[in-house]
Amino acid sequence: MRFLGLARKNAWRKPLRTVLLIFCISVAFLIYGLTASFTNGSQGSAGASENILGVMNAAGRNQSLPMAYMWRIASVPAVSSVAYVARLRGFVGTEKNVIAVSAVEPQLLAEVNGKQLAVTPDLVKALSVSRDRVLVGRALMEAQGWTVGQRLTLTSFQTAAKDGTRDWRFEIAGVFDGETESADTYFIIARYDYINALRERNADTVDVFIVRPRADISSSELAVRIDALFANSAVPTRTQSEKQFLEAFLRQYADIGLIINLVVGAAFATLLMIVINTMVFAVRERRFEIGVLKTLGFSRRRILGLVLSETMLIFVIGGFVGLFLAKLASIAAGPVLGLVFTAAVLAKAVCLIVLLGVATGLLPAINAMRAPVTKALRAR
C-alpha cells in the first residue's frame, strides 16, 4: 500500500470521528470565509480607495458645507479634480427598504471617480437628458428587481421639497457596475441641480467634496493642506481618504475589524484544541500498529510524515468544504450584504489550512515518532 493510501486508511478507520472533525473544521472555515468576504466586500472598507479624498464638515458628516468651498479647493495646485455630493436617504415602498441617493454633477463625478464606479460617457449622457433621471448601481438594481426606464418614488427621511412633501420622483436612465467586485454599487446617482432646486432647506450646500490629488502628490499631505485652508473659517473641514472615512463610519457602531478577528480567532483556537486532543487519542490507540511499522523498517521521519498526512487530509477536506459553503453563501446572499469571496480570501484560507494542519498534527506525530518499539508492541 502506498504512503498516502495508508494515511487515508488511518484517517478513516473510525468514520464517525473523522466526519465530526471534518464538520468542526468546515464550520470554522465557513466562519472565516464569511467574515473575510464581508471585509473584502462593499460593506467593508477593504475595497475603498486610499487616494480619493473626501472633504467634510469638521462638526460631523451630517453637517453641510457651502458650495463656494469648491473653487477654493480646486485652486490648490496639488488638486487634480474636484466633485461634490449631496446625500439623500429615504425608502422606496416600505420604510425597511432604505435607499441612499448621491446627488452629483455628472461630468465632475466622471472625472474624479468615474473609473472606480464605471460611469461611462454614455451613462453621463443618459443622465443629462432630464433633471429627474438617475443611475442605479448594479447591486441595488438586482436586489430591487428594477429595470431601465422604470419610474420610482423615494420618500426621504429628512429632506423635504418646497411643496411640503418628502417624495422625490426619479426615472432610471442606466446602470453602473463598479470597476471591481468590491466596489459599492448599492446606491443611486442623481443630479444635484434637480435636488438643489427643489429642496426646502440647505440650498447651495453639499455634504462632501470628492478630491483626486495629482499623481505626484501624497493624499495625506493634500488632506492637511485642504484642512489648513479652512482652519480659520466659519465652517472648518476634515479631509479623509475614502478608506479612512468608511473605517471611521463602521467604528461608530462597533470596531468591526476587532470583532471579526475575535470571532475567527475563537473559532480557530477551539478548533485547534478539539483536533489536537482527538488526534493525540487516535495515535495513542494505534501504538501497537506504529510499533509494527517501525519493526518493518519505517523510519522516524516516515512515521512523522504519516501522522501529519492524516491531519492534513482531514483539514484539506474540512477546509475546502467550509470555503465552498462560504462561496455559496456569498452568492446566495446577493448584493445586499456585500459579501465578496475573492482569490485573496481563498489564498489566505489555503495558507491557514496548511498551517493549522501542521500545528494540530505536530504533537501527536512527535509522540508517535518518539515512542519506543518495545513499549509500543506491549500496548496490545
Side-chain angles (χ1 to χ4, degrees):
M1 182 179 291
R2 294 181 178 180
F3 183 80
L4 293 179
L6 181 59
R8 180 178 58 83
K9 289 288 185 180
N10 286 334
W12 288 95
R13 62 186 294 140
K14 290 195 174 181
L16 178 60
R17 180 171 63 192
T18 302
V19 169
L20 291 176
L21 284 178
I22 290 175
F23 175 77
C24 293
I25 295 168
S26 299
V27 171
F29 277 92
L30 173 62
I31 293 172
Y32 166 77
L34 292 177
T35 54
S37 297
F38 174 82
T39 56
N40 279 277
S42 60
Q43 304 303 319
S45 61
S49 172
E50 295 187 13
N51 296 322
I52 296 177
L53 299 175
V55 182
M56 296 165 288
N57 192 316
R61 64 187 300 271
N62 293 323
Q63 302 298 316
S64 59
L65 290 171
M67 176 65 78
Y69 276 22
M70 178 176 175
W71 317 118
R72 295 180 65 184
I73 295 172
S75 66
V76 177
V79 173
S80 174
S81 53
V82 186
Y84 50 84
V85 177
R87 299 188 185 94
L88 184 69
R89 289 184 75 252
F91 61 90
V92 175
T94 63
E95 289 192 17
K96 293 183 179 180
N97 189 25
V98 180
I99 307 294
V101 177
S102 293
V104 303
E105 200 291 312
Q107 190 58 48
L108 292 179
L109 178 70
E111 293 174 2
V112 176
N113 208 21
K115 181 180 179 182
Q116 285 74 14
L117 295 175
V119 177
T120 64
D122 288 340
L123 289 176
V124 173
K125 185 178 179 180
L127 194 60
S128 303
V129 171
S130 176
R131 292 202 306 177
D132 64 346
R133 287 194 147 201
V134 295
L135 301 178
V136 180
R138 177 68 64 184
L140 178 59
M141 195 79 162
E142 293 178 354
Q144 300 291 332
W146 296 337
T147 58
V148 175
Q150 180 177 338
R151 299 196 66 86
L152 55 94
T153 299
L154 181 139
T155 303
S156 173
F157 292 121
Q158 294 180 329
T159 306
K162 290 180 180 179
D163 61 4
T165 68
R166 291 183 292 113
D167 291 338
W168 297 84
R169 293 171 177 81
F170 302 107
E171 179 184 349
I172 301 176
V175 184
F176 62 94
D177 294 288
E179 184 182 24
T180 63
E181 287 184 333
S182 60
D184 181 12
T185 58
Y186 201 83
F187 67 100
I188 293 173
I189 296 176
R191 288 179 52 167
Y192 176 82
D193 55 356
Y194 174 64
I195 303 296
N196 190 53
L198 295 181
R199 59 182 171 177
E200 185 179 24
R201 295 182 300 169
N202 298 324
D204 298 325
T205 64
V206 299
D207 291 295
V208 60
F209 291 102
I210 305 173
V211 179
R212 179 176 289 278
R214 294 189 183 275
D216 57 339
I217 299 298
S218 166
S219 58
S220 58
E221 177 185 341
L222 179 57
V224 173
R225 293 174 64 177
I226 292 174
D227 288 341
L229 191 65
F230 302 102
N232 297 319
S233 64
V235 186
T237 62
R238 180 179 59 187
T239 305
Q240 296 175 304
S241 68
E242 184 184 22
K243 186 177 183 68
Q244 290 173 329
F245 170 76
L246 285 176
E247 288 175 346
F249 176 73
L250 290 172
R251 280 198 296 270
Q252 291 183 96
Y253 303 97
D255 191 334
I256 302 297
L258 177 61
I259 292 174
I260 287 175
N261 289 334
L262 289 175
V263 170
V264 174
F268 283 141
T270 305
L271 177 65
L272 281 172
M273 290 187 289
I274 292 173
V275 178
I276 289 176
N277 184 63
T278 304
M279 290 304 299
V280 166
F281 279 101
V283 171
R284 187 176 298 174
E285 292 173 355
R286 304 204 310 268
R287 282 183 296 177
F288 178 80
E289 296 174 15
I290 292 171
V292 171
L293 291 176
K294 288 183 177 181
T295 303
L296 294 175
F298 271 65
S299 66
R300 290 160 60 91
R301 289 184 179 181
R302 293 194 72 184
I303 296 295
L304 179 71
L306 182 64
V307 178
L308 285 176
S309 297
E310 294 176 36
T311 56
M312 190 62 67
L313 177 63
I314 294 172
F315 262 92
V316 167
I317 296 174
F320 278 98
V321 168
L323 294 174
F324 176 72
L325 293 175
K327 176 65 176 179
L328 290 181
S330 67
I331 296 173
V336 178
L337 296 181
L339 300 179
V340 180
F341 191 92
T342 62
V345 173
L346 178 61
K348 188 176 179 180
V350 171
C351 293
L352 285 172
I353 288 172
V354 175
L355 179 63
L356 293 173
V358 172
T360 54
L362 199 57
L363 177 61
I366 291 174
N367 289 340
M369 180 183 70
R370 291 181 175 178
V373 176
T374 55
K375 185 177 180 181
L377 292 175
R378 286 200 305 265
R380 191 159 187 173

PDB file of all heavy atoms in Angstrom, residues 326-347:
ATOM      1  N   ALA A 326     -18.962  28.887   2.103  1.00  0.00           N
ATOM      2  CA  ALA A 326     -18.855  30.342   2.206  1.00  0.00           C
ATOM      3  C   ALA A 326     -19.054  31.011   0.849  1.00  0.00           C
ATOM      4  O   ALA A 326     -19.707  32.060   0.747  1.00  0.00           O
ATOM      5  CB  ALA A 326     -17.497  30.726   2.791  1.00  0.00           C
ATOM      6  N   LYS A 327     -18.490  30.394  -0.197  1.00  0.00           N
ATOM      7  CA  LYS A 327     -18.674  30.923  -1.551  1.00  0.00           C
ATOM      8  C   LYS A 327     -20.138  30.865  -1.956  1.00  0.00           C
ATOM      9  O   LYS A 327     -20.678  31.836  -2.513  1.00  0.00           O
ATOM     10  CB  LYS A 327     -17.811  30.113  -2.531  1.00  0.00           C
ATOM     11  CG  LYS A 327     -17.975  30.508  -3.989  1.00  0.00           C
ATOM     12  CD  LYS A 327     -17.502  31.924  -4.247  1.00  0.00           C
ATOM     13  CE  LYS A 327     -17.575  32.258  -5.733  1.00  0.00           C
ATOM     14  NZ  LYS A 327     -17.127  33.647  -6.008  1.00  0.00           N
ATOM     15  N   LEU A 328     -20.800  29.749  -1.669  1.00  0.00           N
ATOM     16  CA  LEU A 328     -22.219  29.626  -1.990  1.00  0.00           C
ATOM     17  C   LEU A 328     -23.035  30.656  -1.215  1.00  0.00           C
ATOM     18  O   LEU A 328     -23.976  31.253  -1.756  1.00  0.00           O
ATOM     19  CB  LEU A 328     -22.717  28.219  -1.667  1.00  0.00           C
ATOM     20  CG  LEU A 328     -22.227  27.070  -2.563  1.00  0.00           C
ATOM     21  CD1 LEU A 328     -22.849  25.755  -2.108  1.00  0.00           C
ATOM     22  CD2 LEU A 328     -22.579  27.340  -4.025  1.00  0.00           C
ATOM     23  N   ALA A 329     -22.673  30.868   0.058  1.00  0.00           N
ATOM     24  CA  ALA A 329     -23.409  31.834   0.882  1.00  0.00           C
ATOM     25  C   ALA A 329     -23.240  33.249   0.343  1.00  0.00           C
ATOM     26  O   ALA A 329     -24.188  34.042   0.343  1.00  0.00           O
ATOM     27  CB  ALA A 329     -22.918  31.756   2.326  1.00  0.00           C
ATOM     28  N   SER A 330     -22.019  33.587  -0.117  1.00  0.00           N
ATOM     29  CA  SER A 330     -21.787  34.928  -0.662  1.00  0.00           C
ATOM     30  C   SER A 330     -22.603  35.145  -1.935  1.00  0.00           C
ATOM     31  O   SER A 330     -23.065  36.255  -2.199  1.00  0.00           O
ATOM     32  CB  SER A 330     -20.300  35.138  -0.938  1.00  0.00           C
ATOM     33  OG  SER A 330     -19.841  34.295  -1.981  1.00  0.00           O
ATOM     34  N   ILE A 331     -22.792  34.080  -2.723  1.00  0.00           N
ATOM     35  CA  ILE A 331     -23.599  34.183  -3.947  1.00  0.00           C
ATOM     36  C   ILE A 331     -25.085  34.272  -3.594  1.00  0.00           C
ATOM     37  O   ILE A 331     -25.821  35.095  -4.135  1.00  0.00           O
ATOM     38  CB  ILE A 331     -23.338  32.983  -4.869  1.00  0.00           C
ATOM     39  CG1 ILE A 331     -21.880  32.991  -5.355  1.00  0.00           C
ATOM     40  CG2 ILE A 331     -24.294  32.989  -6.053  1.00  0.00           C
ATOM     41  CD1 ILE A 331     -21.487  31.747  -6.131  1.00  0.00           C
ATOM     42  N   ALA A 332     -25.515  33.412  -2.642  1.00  0.00           N
ATOM     43  CA  ALA A 332     -26.930  33.374  -2.269  1.00  0.00           C
ATOM     44  C   ALA A 332     -27.374  34.651  -1.563  1.00  0.00           C
ATOM     45  O   ALA A 332     -28.517  35.086  -1.710  1.00  0.00           O
ATOM     46  CB  ALA A 332     -27.194  32.167  -1.377  1.00  0.00           C
ATOM     47  N   ALA A 333     -26.459  35.272  -0.793  1.00  0.00           N
ATOM     48  CA  ALA A 333     -26.811  36.481  -0.047  1.00  0.00           C
ATOM     49  C   ALA A 333     -27.097  37.644  -0.971  1.00  0.00           C
ATOM     50  O   ALA A 333     -27.792  38.588  -0.605  1.00  0.00           O
ATOM     51  CB  ALA A 333     -25.685  36.846   0.927  1.00  0.00           C
ATOM     52  N   GLY A 334     -26.550  37.581  -2.196  1.00  0.00           N
ATOM     53  CA  GLY A 334     -26.783  38.656  -3.139  1.00  0.00           C
ATOM     54  C   GLY A 334     -25.995  39.896  -2.777  1.00  0.00           C
ATOM     55  O   GLY A 334     -25.134  39.892  -1.888  1.00  0.00           O
ATOM     56  N   PRO A 335     -26.282  41.013  -3.416  1.00  0.00           N
ATOM     57  CA  PRO A 335     -25.500  42.227  -3.215  1.00  0.00           C
ATOM     58  C   PRO A 335     -25.824  42.995  -1.952  1.00  0.00           C
ATOM     59  O   PRO A 335     -25.089  43.905  -1.595  1.00  0.00           O
ATOM     60  CB  PRO A 335     -25.862  43.052  -4.458  1.00  0.00           C
ATOM     61  CG  PRO A 335     -27.241  42.596  -4.816  1.00  0.00           C
ATOM     62  CD  PRO A 335     -27.288  41.131  -4.471  1.00  0.00           C
ATOM     63  N   VAL A 336     -26.914  42.648  -1.265  1.00  0.00           N
ATOM     64  CA  VAL A 336     -27.327  43.440  -0.109  1.00  0.00           C
ATOM     65  C   VAL A 336     -26.272  43.410   0.992  1.00  0.00           C
ATOM     66  O   VAL A 336     -25.931  44.429   1.589  1.00  0.00           O
ATOM     67  CB  VAL A 336     -28.680  42.929   0.436  1.00  0.00           C
ATOM     68  CG1 VAL A 336     -29.083  43.711   1.671  1.00  0.00           C
ATOM     69  CG2 VAL A 336     -29.750  43.052  -0.638  1.00  0.00           C
ATOM     70  N   LEU A 337     -25.740  42.229   1.309  1.00  0.00           N
ATOM     71  CA  LEU A 337     -24.750  42.103   2.368  1.00  0.00           C
ATOM     72  C   LEU A 337     -23.349  42.483   1.902  1.00  0.00           C
ATOM     73  O   LEU A 337     -22.454  42.673   2.728  1.00  0.00           O
ATOM     74  CB  LEU A 337     -24.739  40.670   2.910  1.00  0.00           C
ATOM     75  CG  LEU A 337     -26.014  40.202   3.604  1.00  0.00           C
ATOM     76  CD1 LEU A 337     -25.851  38.781   4.106  1.00  0.00           C
ATOM     77  CD2 LEU A 337     -26.364  41.126   4.773  1.00  0.00           C
ATOM     78  N   GLY A 338     -23.144  42.579   0.611  1.00  0.00           N
ATOM     79  CA  GLY A 338     -21.833  42.990   0.107  1.00  0.00           C
ATOM     80  C   GLY A 338     -20.735  41.979   0.351  1.00  0.00           C
ATOM     81  O   GLY A 338     -19.584  42.351   0.562  1.00  0.00           O
ATOM     82  N   LEU A 339     -21.056  40.673   0.330  1.00  0.00           N
ATOM     83  CA  LEU A 339     -20.043  39.639   0.532  1.00  0.00           C
ATOM     84  C   LEU A 339     -19.321  39.364  -0.781  1.00  0.00           C
ATOM     85  O   LEU A 339     -19.954  39.060  -1.792  1.00  0.00           O
ATOM     86  CB  LEU A 339     -20.688  38.347   1.040  1.00  0.00           C
ATOM     87  CG  LEU A 339     -21.451  38.433   2.361  1.00  0.00           C
ATOM     88  CD1 LEU A 339     -22.046  37.078   2.714  1.00  0.00           C
ATOM     89  CD2 LEU A 339     -20.549  38.911   3.484  1.00  0.00           C
ATOM     90  N   VAL A 340     -17.989  39.491  -0.763  1.00  0.00           N
ATOM     91  CA  VAL A 340     -17.195  39.255  -1.972  1.00  0.00           C
ATOM     92  C   VAL A 340     -16.100  38.247  -1.640  1.00  0.00           C
ATOM     93  O   VAL A 340     -15.136  38.564  -0.931  1.00  0.00           O
ATOM     94  CB  VAL A 340     -16.573  40.559  -2.499  1.00  0.00           C
ATOM     95  CG1 VAL A 340     -15.748  40.285  -3.744  1.00  0.00           C
ATOM     96  CG2 VAL A 340     -17.658  41.587  -2.803  1.00  0.00           C
ATOM     97  N   PHE A 341     -16.274  37.020  -2.130  1.00  0.00           N
ATOM     98  CA  PHE A 341     -15.309  35.949  -1.889  1.00  0.00           C
ATOM     99  C   PHE A 341     -14.251  36.021  -2.988  1.00  0.00           C
ATOM    100  O   PHE A 341     -14.453  35.547  -4.091  1.00  0.00           O
ATOM    101  CB  PHE A 341     -16.011  34.587  -1.898  1.00  0.00           C
ATOM    102  CG  PHE A 341     -15.165  33.454  -1.402  1.00  0.00           C
ATOM    103  CD1 PHE A 341     -15.183  33.087  -0.072  1.00  0.00           C
ATOM    104  CD2 PHE A 341     -14.337  32.755  -2.268  1.00  0.00           C
ATOM    105  CE1 PHE A 341     -14.405  32.038   0.396  1.00  0.00           C
ATOM    106  CE2 PHE A 341     -13.548  31.713  -1.821  1.00  0.00           C
ATOM    107  CZ  PHE A 341     -13.578  31.352  -0.483  1.00  0.00           C
ATOM    108  N   THR A 342     -13.114  36.644  -2.691  1.00  0.00           N
ATOM    109  CA  THR A 342     -12.089  36.905  -3.698  1.00  0.00           C
ATOM    110  C   THR A 342     -11.007  35.826  -3.683  1.00  0.00           C
ATOM    111  O   THR A 342     -10.952  34.981  -2.775  1.00  0.00           O
ATOM    112  CB  THR A 342     -11.430  38.265  -3.440  1.00  0.00           C
ATOM    113  OG1 THR A 342     -10.790  38.231  -2.152  1.00  0.00           O
ATOM    114  CG2 THR A 342     -12.461  39.380  -3.459  1.00  0.00           C
ATOM    115  N   ALA A 343     -10.131  35.896  -4.689  1.00  0.00           N
ATOM    116  CA  ALA A 343      -8.994  34.972  -4.762  1.00  0.00           C
ATOM    117  C   ALA A 343      -8.059  35.183  -3.572  1.00  0.00           C
ATOM    118  O   ALA A 343      -7.431  34.237  -3.093  1.00  0.00           O
ATOM    119  CB  ALA A 343      -8.237  35.176  -6.074  1.00  0.00           C
ATOM    120  N   ALA A 344      -7.962  36.419  -3.082  1.00  0.00           N
ATOM    121  CA  ALA A 344      -7.114  36.695  -1.919  1.00  0.00           C
ATOM    122  C   ALA A 344      -7.638  35.989  -0.673  1.00  0.00           C
ATOM    123  O   ALA A 344      -6.856  35.487   0.145  1.00  0.00           O
ATOM    124  CB  ALA A 344      -7.040  38.200  -1.683  1.00  0.00           C
ATOM    125  N   VAL A 345      -8.956  35.956  -0.517  1.00  0.00           N
ATOM    126  CA  VAL A 345      -9.561  35.235   0.613  1.00  0.00           C
ATOM    127  C   VAL A 345      -9.230  33.756   0.520  1.00  0.00           C
ATOM    128  O   VAL A 345      -8.863  33.120   1.521  1.00  0.00           O
ATOM    129  CB  VAL A 345     -11.093  35.458   0.635  1.00  0.00           C
ATOM    130  CG1 VAL A 345     -11.745  34.580   1.697  1.00  0.00           C
ATOM    131  CG2 VAL A 345     -11.413  36.916   0.881  1.00  0.00           C
ATOM    132  N   LEU A 346      -9.356  33.190  -0.678  1.00  0.00           N
ATOM    133  CA  LEU A 346      -9.059  31.772  -0.882  1.00  0.00           C
ATOM    134  C   LEU A 346      -7.589  31.474  -0.613  1.00  0.00           C
ATOM    135  O   LEU A 346      -7.261  30.474   0.047  1.00  0.00           O
ATOM    136  CB  LEU A 346      -9.424  31.367  -2.305  1.00  0.00           C
ATOM    137  CG  LEU A 346      -9.136  29.917  -2.695  1.00  0.00           C
ATOM    138  CD1 LEU A 346      -9.914  28.954  -1.807  1.00  0.00           C
ATOM    139  CD2 LEU A 346      -9.464  29.680  -4.165  1.00  0.00           C
ATOM    140  N   ALA A 347      -6.689  32.325  -1.097  1.00  0.00           N
ATOM    141  CA  ALA A 347      -5.252  32.097  -0.902  1.00  0.00           C
ATOM    142  C   ALA A 347      -4.881  32.129   0.579  1.00  0.00           C
ATOM    143  O   ALA A 347      -4.114  31.277   1.056  1.00  0.00           O
ATOM    144  CB  ALA A 347      -4.459  33.153  -1.670  1.00  0.00           C
TER     145      ALA A 347
END
